[in-house]
Amino acid sequence: MKDIVLKTKDLCKSFANNGLQNHILDEVNLEIYKGDFTVIMGASGAGKSTLLYCLSGMDTITSGSVLFEGEAIEKKKEKEMSVLRAKAFGFVFQQIHLVSNLTMLENILASGYLIKEKTAKQVKEKAMHLLETVNMKEAAMRLPSQVSGGEAQRAAIARALINEPKLIFADEPTGALNRKNGSDVLDLFTKFHNKGQSIIMVTHDIKTALRASRLLYLSDGQIKGDMSLAPYDGQMLKEREMQIQSWLMSMEW
Amino acid sequence: MQEVFLLFRKGMKNKKGSFFGIFILMLLMSMTLISVVTIRLNYNDRQKTAVKQDGYGDILFWILDNNLSPYHMTANDILKSTRENTVVKKVKSMPYIGTHIRSVNGKKEGESLLIQRMDKSFITYTFFDKDYKKMNQKKLKLKENEVAVPLSYVSTYHCKIGDKLSFGSKDSTPVFTIAAFFEDPYMGSSIMGIKTVLINDVTYEHLKQIAVSNQDTKVALGTVLNVYQKTDHGQKLSDLAFVKKLNQKSQLSGYASFSLSNSESQNFMLILTNIFSGILVAFLFLLLIITVIIMSHSISNSIEMEFKDIGILKAMGVPAKRLQVAFLLQYVVTMLFGCIIGIIPAIPVIAFADQMTKTVINLAVSEKIAWIPCLILELAVLLLLCLFTIFQLRKMKHVKPMQAIRDGNTSVYFKSRLQLPISKRFLSLSMAFRQLISGKKNYIGACGIAAILFSFLILVNGMAQWGGAGGKNINAMFSNFDSDVSINYLNPDVKEAVEKQIDLTAKVKTSFYGTTGYMMVNGVQMYVTALSNPKEYTSVYRGRTCKYDNEILITQYVANEFGIGIGDKITVGRGNQKADYMVSGIYQCANDVGANIAMSLSGWEKLQNKELQGNAQVTTSQISQFTYEYQLKDTGKKSQLILSLKKTYDATQINVQSNVGLGGMSSVSVAIKALSFLIYVIAAVFAMVTIALVSGKIIKKETKDYGIFKSIGYTSFNLRMQIAFRMGITATIGSLLGVGLELLFGKTCVMYLLGFMGVYHYNIQSHMQSKVAIFVMIVIFFILVTYIFTRKVKRVSTKMLMSE
């Protein structure tokens, strides 16, 4: 039995628009397991990113609860949430979102230095190691304006991992990248997942979904489908893709 | 043109925070400008009008009968010869009693007093009741032993109606009751050490008896001449030329114990107004510079924020000129609104300033705004700022539509040589420094403003401290020698015993004696000090003291007035005696706004009646003429000594003082302190507006970065402190630049302002402590206010990073 790392209870998220309520998420109940590479799929505008932001505490919820290790994160104050984001969560954005006047290394250090338990030397060594892992060691001292989108996203992944988070949230991390860069980024996610990292990713791209160990389908504000996949090993990709496609078709995607 | 109004309305709505800041700046500037201009013009106007209305001539002379008797002359002789002078139109005369205040409202003072009868045919006055409201002069009837005093007695002696005033040296001279206050536009200011008070005929006759019978040597009879100049085809000579013409024939200034011309009176009366308006005009000028910096900031920020929209509009075909007009309208409307609304607070500010200074400057000033000059100046300022705005908006011409739409206002950062690595231990500070270096341009304005505010606050602080602790500096500026105790021996027989007592109590370090009075200096009456030991003149800062009897010390004012310097000759006269002296040195003494000279006692004796000349030692009969000065070894015992002397000897025997009576100057010091407080407040508001605009711009620009930082675990507090530290660093750099500004201009500005009071040489101590205090205050202020104004950071949510 896998450990539950994140759980929702009747999670609802609505937006008000000109006096009308728009229910994006409607009593979503799901569990995220430790060590899983969970990919959430759905049609465009289904609320995938909204769900991801609600799960990570980046956005407030309308009602219900999001429990991380048994604690409701919607009840946490700003300071407690910031501790959670620094220590337990890592986030990778579609638009990358590196701080533009910090170098690749400094973007990672900015996150790593928040942890009081580690010394500056330890954080720096870890950051350099991560940059090496993501093939960004040579570009460590470059600014975001001086690297390509793929390189920047790889650095963003390193930033998300610096504090050994329990969960990585990734919102369409390859959405702004070309095919080659996107593939490199996905390889990194697979690499870290294989080392035991729990990942929740949102995508509408089947190629990305191939990397998942678990697929969730979001539709009409609810999780309509939940499928487990064999671990990704880069083999039998066509069969894997067909499996996912037929599952998606059954979801009326 | 519809799109212009559309853009105008949209801009006003979207940038209301920025425009509110500019509105506040304009309001403050308008308020300050209207107040300063109105106060200055109203005071000038009132002084001139009142002098004319009250019936003052071109010059007044006060001549004591005692001064004329050695020359076997009478007041009538002087009056006759003056009337016969071809440049004189008419002369009015009135007898007066010359004396010194013994005590007023319980305080022992030695200020000179000129007691005159209330006589409308000589000079009329405006009277005030206990609430400082104008009284109907017809209703005012002074009773016996009642006196009307200048309104400045309220600030100098904290007088009120019903208080007691005594004069002379004996308790037997009558005590007056203050019955009314009056406006003396000629010499009523608290900084002048000689005042006119008014009594009725009965009281006058009584005092005349005391003077004539010599019952009290400190009560003397005299005549005041109110001299009117003849005009030549509507043209008049300057006061200086007129006095010289008068003295050519009658040596009038030589016989007079004191004289005051119209222009001298105006200078004295308006010293405070000139100093205050000088400080405020300088401050206004700086506020204008700061406003220009802030507007430049705001305009470039506006253009950056709406870069994309400008690109879209241009792509749609809207000409750049129309966009510029829309932007310009936003600023013009804001500035105009600020200027107009600024009139409202100016009204109570003017009223308050008038109330505060009425009892110091002693003028019944109108509180009406000087509309025309104020409006002209406001329009000039508005025009200047509009032209500046138009100049700044020229950038919009160069915005390329597609580039703007595509790239917007995305900042592209490059590495700076000033970059320092971010540090774990000083994370917020190192991040703040990095952000500052990355966006240096955003902080240059705030840095410049911090520099200007720092240097001006140092200047203002220096002015407020000019008096020094316990008036120490005032003494140094107004006294040309050091003395702990000054004694007049009215009874020469007690001198030996008194000196024994002084030596026993506090040990005498050195002693000397001297005299003061008014004499003619190159045909102009000036205050003269003569000392038995000229080495005791301590304030000589160029040349040397007047060692010999044909040498003289002059002030920079006298040097400028006559265009002379060290080595030049000057003629000094008294009565019918005259002698030439050579200038041996320049010294500092602000008495009579610098119109004073100093000589040795042997030099002074050359101008006395021949009977007094040639005596090597001062005879017993002459002891009472001089003031004996004592410097004490044990200065801590000074107060104890003076008390014991006053207990042992009464006012008929000795007159003892510890300092020159400077009650008026201390009120100047208090007034400058009040003004500097006002300036601190306005400076704080300007700094707050600057910080609000700069931090607002920073937050708008960096909103996305705050979202990123929050997503990786930073709190709002961390981010706000980063911004606050940035402004703290900016304030630090600005203040250090301000040190340079202050070193370059500070002394010049202070000396220019102190010059109004006759202070030309002032050792402005560096006051490092106050500089450090102001520096720390500015930095902490910038940090605190920035932290408060960055509340918006709390509202930045990480969900703004969402792409969907």
Side-chain angles (χ1 to χ4, degrees):
Chain A
M1 192 69 178
K2 282 184 183 172
D3 292 333
I4 298 168
V5 72
L6 195 69
K7 187 178 172 175
T8 68
K9 250 187 193 170
D10 299 330
L11 168 62
C12 291
K13 177 68 182 177
S14 309
F15 292 104
N17 193 6
N18 284 334
L20 293 167
Q21 284 282 333
N22 193 6
H23 303 288
I24 307 295
L25 302 172
D26 189 9
E27 292 183 357
V28 172
N29 290 286
L30 62 79
E31 288 160 353
I32 305 294
Y33 303 107
K34 191 178 173 183
D36 266 357
F37 189 151
T38 308
V39 170
I40 303 170
M41 295 190 78
S44 184
K48 303 184 293 294
S49 295
T50 306
L51 175 59
L52 192 75
Y53 276 70
C54 288
L55 290 176
S56 60
M58 294 281 209
D59 195 2
T60 51
I61 61 175
T62 308
S63 65
S65 196
V66 178
L67 301 157
F68 174 71
E69 291 181 339
E71 279 182 27
I73 64 172
E74 69 278 1
K75 289 190 176 132
K76 286 187 187 290
K77 290 186 184 146
E78 195 207 1
K79 205 171 178 182
E80 292 166 318
M81 269 315 299
S82 67
V83 171
L84 208 61
R85 286 180 195 141
K87 287 186 174 174
F89 294 167
F91 215 103
V92 182
F93 302 93
Q94 183 179 354
Q95 297 301 327
I96 307 165
H97 291 322
L98 289 174
V99 178
S100 42
N101 58 1
L102 297 178
T103 62
M104 299 294 111
L105 176 63
E106 285 169 342
N107 265 283
I108 300 166
L109 293 176
S111 183
Y113 281 160
L114 288 173
I115 306 301
K116 290 190 176 104
E117 290 80 10
K118 290 199 171 146
T119 65
K121 192 180 174 192
Q122 286 171 326
V123 174
K124 214 169 182 180
E125 278 170 6
K126 173 88 192 210
M128 287 308 293
H129 172 72
L130 277 168
L131 281 172
E132 196 171 357
T133 309
V134 302
N135 295 322
M136 282 293 291
K137 197 176 179 186
E138 279 71 42
M141 301 314 288
R142 288 192 216 151
L143 293 170
S145 56
Q146 296 169 316
V147 300
S148 70
E151 287 172 325
Q153 192 66 298
R154 295 207 301 267
I157 294 170
R159 179 181 67 183
L161 289 164
I162 183 69
N163 295 325
E164 292 157 21
K166 295 204 168 110
L167 262 173
I168 296 279
F169 297 86
D171 179 17
E172 304 244 30
T174 60
L177 306 175
N178 61 31
R179 208 183 188 132
K180 168 73 174 62
N181 283 332
S183 179
D184 291 341
V185 163
L186 290 173
D187 286 344
L188 284 172
F189 276 109
T190 304
K191 192 177 186 176
F192 288 115
H193 172 240
N194 289 340
K195 287 182 184 174
Q197 180 64 55
S198 309
I199 300 169
I200 307 175
M201 189 182 287
V202 148
T203 189
H204 64 273
D205 176 35
I206 292 176
K207 290 272 187 280
T208 306
L210 286 173
R211 311 291 183 127
S213 64
R214 181 185 177 203
L215 284 172
L216 298 172
Y217 189 80
L218 184 69
S219 172
D220 295 331
Q222 291 184 330
I223 301 290
K224 291 278 167 67
D226 186 348
M227 180 173 80
S228 293
L229 290 168
Y232 179 86
D233 56 6
Q235 306 295 323
M236 296 174 70
L237 293 175
K238 240 191 168 136
E239 287 78 5
R240 198 177 173 94
E241 193 177 333
M242 279 180 70
Q243 184 190 2
I244 294 168
Q245 263 183 343
S246 69
W247 177 76
L248 286 171
M249 277 176 73
S250 71
M251 296 291 123
E252 293 174 17
W253 186 53
Chain B
M1 283 303 278
Q2 283 225 342
E3 70 273 12
V4 168
F5 290 114
L6 194 71
L7 289 168
F8 164 75
R9 277 202 321 265
K10 186 191 167 231
M12 293 300 284
K13 195 178 168 191
N14 291 349
K15 294 173 279 183
K16 54 180 178 289
S18 183
F19 286 126
F20 182 70
I22 293 172
F23 165 75
I24 294 290
L25 294 182
M26 291 307 295
L27 187 148
L28 282 174
M29 264 219 319
S30 170
M31 179 194 81
T32 311
L33 186 138
I34 292 171
S35 305
V36 167
V37 170
T38 297
I39 289 168
R40 192 179 172 116
L41 288 177
N42 284 0
Y43 270 96
N44 268 280
D45 188 53
R46 178 61 196 164
Q47 200 274 336
K48 284 183 193 153
T49 309
V51 160
K52 205 171 173 182
Q53 274 175 2
D54 290 356
Y56 285 92
D58 293 287
I59 185 163
L60 267 69
F61 292 92
W62 286 266
I63 305 169
L64 283 171
D65 292 352
N66 292 344
N67 285 0
L68 295 175
S69 43
Y71 306 99
H72 309 293
M73 292 182 77
T74 66
N76 280 334
D77 295 332
I78 301 289
L79 187 60
K80 187 167 176 261
S81 68
T82 309
R83 279 183 172 141
E84 283 167 1
N85 198 309
T86 51
V87 293
V88 171
K89 182 179 168 185
K90 66 176 176 184
V91 184
K92 289 189 202 170
S93 70
M94 163 169 298
Y96 78 96
I97 307 288
T99 183
H100 288 85
I101 293 176
R102 195 166 76 246
S103 90
V104 58
N105 198 19
K107 273 194 214 167
K108 300 222 182 285
E109 294 289 340
E111 197 177 67
S112 297
L113 216 52
L114 308 167
I115 306 178
Q116 278 173 211
R117 284 184 295 116
M118 222 165 76
D119 183 347
K120 274 178 264 186
S121 65
F122 184 68
I123 287 171
T124 57
Y125 294 99
T126 306
F127 289 89
F128 297 89
D129 61 19
K130 62 178 176 58
D131 299 317
Y132 316 134
K133 297 225 168 59
K134 283 188 191 171
M135 270 170 77
N136 190 334
Q137 191 168 345
K138 288 186 188 144
K139 282 192 179 168
L140 176 69
K141 281 198 169 28
L142 291 175
K143 294 183 196 148
E144 192 175 344
N145 291 346
E146 274 190 347
V147 68
V149 298
L151 198 52
S152 55
Y153 271 33
V154 173
S155 65
T156 312
Y157 302 113
H158 309 293
C159 281
K160 46 187 189 309
I161 304 287
D163 281 350
K164 302 293 180 196
L165 183 152
S166 66
F167 59 92
S169 57
K170 289 186 169 160
D171 285 334
S172 54
T173 42
V175 174
F176 290 144
T177 303
I178 295 172
F181 298 110
F182 68 93
E183 174 200 49
D184 183 350
Y186 213 72
M187 42 197 270
S189 171
S190 60
I191 68 152
M192 296 172 83
I194 187 165
K195 295 285 191 302
T196 300
V197 299
L198 303 171
I199 52 175
N200 70 6
D201 293 353
V202 173
T203 313
Y204 174 75
E205 288 305 318
H206 186 190
L207 293 180
K208 187 179 167 184
Q209 284 312 307
I210 294 172
V212 160
S213 62
N214 228 11
Q215 282 175 51
D216 187 337
T217 52
K218 286 266 180 188
V219 178
L221 208 54
T223 306
V224 52
L225 303 185
N226 188 0
V227 184
Y228 295 73
Q229 194 190 143
K230 211 179 256 178
T231 53
D232 182 13
H233 296 104
Q235 296 294 315
K236 266 184 165 186
L237 295 169
S238 69
D239 285 348
L240 187 66
F242 180 48
V243 162
K244 282 186 173 174
K245 284 269 184 204
L246 280 177
N247 290 330
Q248 264 169 17
K249 293 220 170 130
S250 57
Q251 307 295 320
L252 196 44
S253 296
Y255 295 116
S257 56
F258 173 60
S259 71
L260 196 63
S261 68
N262 245 326
S263 52
E264 283 170 337
S265 154
Q266 195 176 61
N267 279 345
F268 279 115
M269 288 297 291
L270 299 174
I271 279 176
L272 269 184
T273 319
N274 288 341
I275 291 172
F276 284 10
S277 57
I279 293 172
L280 284 171
V281 163
F283 188 54
L284 253 177
F285 182 67
L286 291 175
L287 291 185
L288 185 61
I289 295 175
I290 291 172
T291 305
V292 164
I293 294 172
I294 290 172
M295 279 191 54
S296 163
H297 214 264
S298 169
I299 293 165
S300 62
N301 186 35
S302 268
I303 295 172
E304 268 180 46
M305 289 295 121
E306 296 185 48
F307 210 57
K308 204 166 182 172
D309 290 345
I310 294 168
I312 292 167
L313 288 163
K314 275 190 152 188
M316 281 163 53
V318 178
K321 250 204 174 70
R322 289 227 180 127
L323 295 172
Q324 285 169 328
V325 167
F327 269 69
L328 180 65
L329 265 178
Q330 292 166 15
Y331 287 93
V332 168
V333 165
T334 307
M335 290 190 292
L336 192 61
F337 204 49
C339 280
I340 293 170
I341 302 292
I343 296 172
I344 300 171
I347 297 169
V349 165
I350 293 165
F352 178 74
D354 287 347
Q355 282 307 310
M356 289 290 289
T357 53
K358 192 191 275 191
T359 58
V360 177
I361 302 176
N362 201 354
L363 286 171
V365 180
S366 160
E367 290 173 12
K368 283 191 194 145
I369 293 177
W371 287 109
I372 295 171
C374 287
L375 284 173
I376 291 171
L377 284 167
E378 292 244 300
L379 278 169
V381 168
L382 262 174
L383 188 67
L384 185 72
L385 292 172
C386 284
L387 287 171
F388 176 76
T389 309
I390 292 168
F391 177 74
Q392 287 288 94
L393 288 173
R394 78 196 189 289
K395 290 177 201 170
M396 288 176 77
K397 253 191 189 173
H398 307 292
V399 172
K400 305 245 180 320
M402 284 322 294
Q403 190 182 11
I405 293 166
R406 189 179 53 235
D407 298 334
N409 60 342
T410 314
S411 300
V412 179
Y413 291 104
F414 298 95
K415 277 192 186 169
S416 165
R417 272 183 227 130
L418 297 167
Q419 224 157 271
L420 293 173
I422 59 169
S423 142
K424 183 171 167 37
R425 191 182 289 185
F426 303 107
L427 189 57
S428 285
L429 193 58
S430 58
M431 292 283 258
F433 186 75
R434 175 59 63 86
Q435 301 285 49
L436 180 76
I437 296 302
S438 304
K440 289 189 280 290
K441 257 196 324 192
N442 297 326
Y443 304 94
I444 288 174
C447 194
I449 287 165
I452 290 169
L453 288 178
F454 176 82
S455 56
F456 196 75
L457 291 179
I458 295 285
L459 166 74
V460 161
N461 197 58
M463 285 298 298
Q465 303 299 325
W466 76 283
K472 191 178 98 172
N473 289 349
I474 296 176
N475 260 346
M477 285 178 222
F478 287 84
S479 192
N480 43 17
F481 55 84
D482 281 338
S483 167
D484 294 311
V485 180
S486 307
I487 300 180
N488 275 114
Y489 292 102
L490 300 165
N491 177 5
D493 297 334
V494 306
K495 182 172 177 285
E496 207 179 314
V498 167
E499 285 181 341
K500 232 183 208 164
Q501 189 174 341
I502 295 171
D503 204 32
L504 268 167
T505 312
K507 293 259 179 297
V508 174
K509 190 162 74 176
T510 188
S511 72
F512 50 95
Y513 59 93
T515 187
T516 58
Y518 283 91
M519 293 189 186
M520 288 227 295
V521 179
N522 274 8
V524 179
Q525 194 182 58
M526 286 192 183
Y527 193 70
V528 179
T529 307
L531 292 185
S532 59
N533 183 2
K535 282 187 189 161
E536 294 297 336
Y537 288 121
T538 51
S539 57
V540 182
Y541 61 89
R542 239 187 290 150
R544 59 163 178 79
T545 191
C546 43
K547 274 200 289 192
Y548 304 110
D549 65 2
N550 65 341
E551 287 180 344
I552 211 160
L553 288 171
I554 62 172
T555 61
Q556 190 58 52
Y557 173 86
V558 173
N560 295 344
E561 193 71 10
F562 297 128
I564 55 172
I566 293 170
D568 288 331
K569 278 223 168 72
I570 202 166
T571 306
V572 184
R574 184 186 155 88
N576 56 8
Q577 306 292 324
K578 234 192 269 193
D580 287 339
Y581 297 81
M582 193 186 72
V583 178
S584 66
I586 312 282
Y587 78 133
Q588 165 58 40
C589 181
N591 278 326
D592 286 14
V593 200
N596 65 84
I597 60 168
M599 55 172 67
S600 62
L601 206 55
S602 50
W604 173 80
E605 279 169 3
K606 282 169 31 173
L607 299 170
Q608 303 315 300
N609 188 291
K610 298 268 186 255
E611 288 167 12
L612 298 173
Q613 282 185 30
N615 290 333
Q617 282 177 329
V618 176
T619 63
T620 320
S621 62
Q622 292 159 0
I623 285 171
S624 54
Q625 287 178 36
F626 300 116
T627 302
Y628 285 75
E629 310 288 348
Y630 301 92
Q631 289 174 14
L632 307 173
K633 275 190 184 154
D634 190 354
T635 52
K637 295 235 172 90
K638 186 164 75 177
S639 315
Q640 182 194 333
L641 170 68
I642 290 166
L643 260 162
S644 74
L645 284 173
K646 284 182 176 175
K647 251 191 192 156
T648 317
Y649 303 95
D650 66 30
T652 58
Q653 294 175 297
I654 63 170
N655 181 9
V656 58
Q657 286 179 339
S658 64
N659 276 315
V660 180
L662 293 164
M665 275 301 140
S666 56
S667 63
V668 169
S669 199
V670 166
I672 290 179
K673 281 191 171 115
L675 177 66
S676 54
F677 174 75
L678 172 71
I679 287 174
Y680 267 76
V681 168
I682 296 177
V685 173
F686 261 71
M688 280 167 65
V689 170
T690 307
I691 292 164
L693 287 172
V694 172
S695 58
K697 180 179 178 177
I698 291 168
I699 292 170
K700 263 194 189 147
K701 243 186 162 174
E702 298 175 4
T703 303
K704 196 187 87 174
D705 282 351
Y706 301 144
I708 296 170
F709 279 115
K710 282 192 175 185
S711 76
I712 60 174
Y714 283 72
T715 59
S716 299
F717 174 77
N718 293 141
L719 299 172
R720 287 171 77 183
M721 282 313 295
Q722 275 184 35
I723 306 171
F725 280 140
R726 275 187 254 174
M727 292 305 280
I729 296 168
T730 304
T732 302
I733 297 168
S735 298
L736 290 171
L737 288 171
V739 168
L741 275 176
E742 196 263 333
L743 283 169
L744 279 171
F745 302 112
K747 189 170 178 179
T748 313
C749 291
V750 171
M751 290 316 298
Y752 172 74
L753 290 167
L754 288 178
F756 283 118
M757 289 192 284
V759 179
Y760 291 88
H761 182 75
Y762 172 45
N763 239 341
I764 301 169
Q765 285 152 30
S766 59
H767 298 295
M768 191 48 78
Q769 272 177 323
S770 50
K771 281 185 184 171
V772 169
I774 290 173
F775 169 80
V776 168
M777 184 186 76
I778 288 179
V779 172
I780 292 175
F781 183 81
F782 266 63
I783 290 173
L784 279 174
V785 171
T786 306
Y787 184 81
I788 293 166
F789 280 140
T790 51
R791 277 175 65 85
K792 269 191 196 168
V793 170
K794 274 184 167 182
R795 281 187 255 144
V796 171
S797 166
T798 43
K799 76 175 177 192
M800 55 107 73
L801 301 171
M802 206 192 304
S803 305
E804 200 172 80

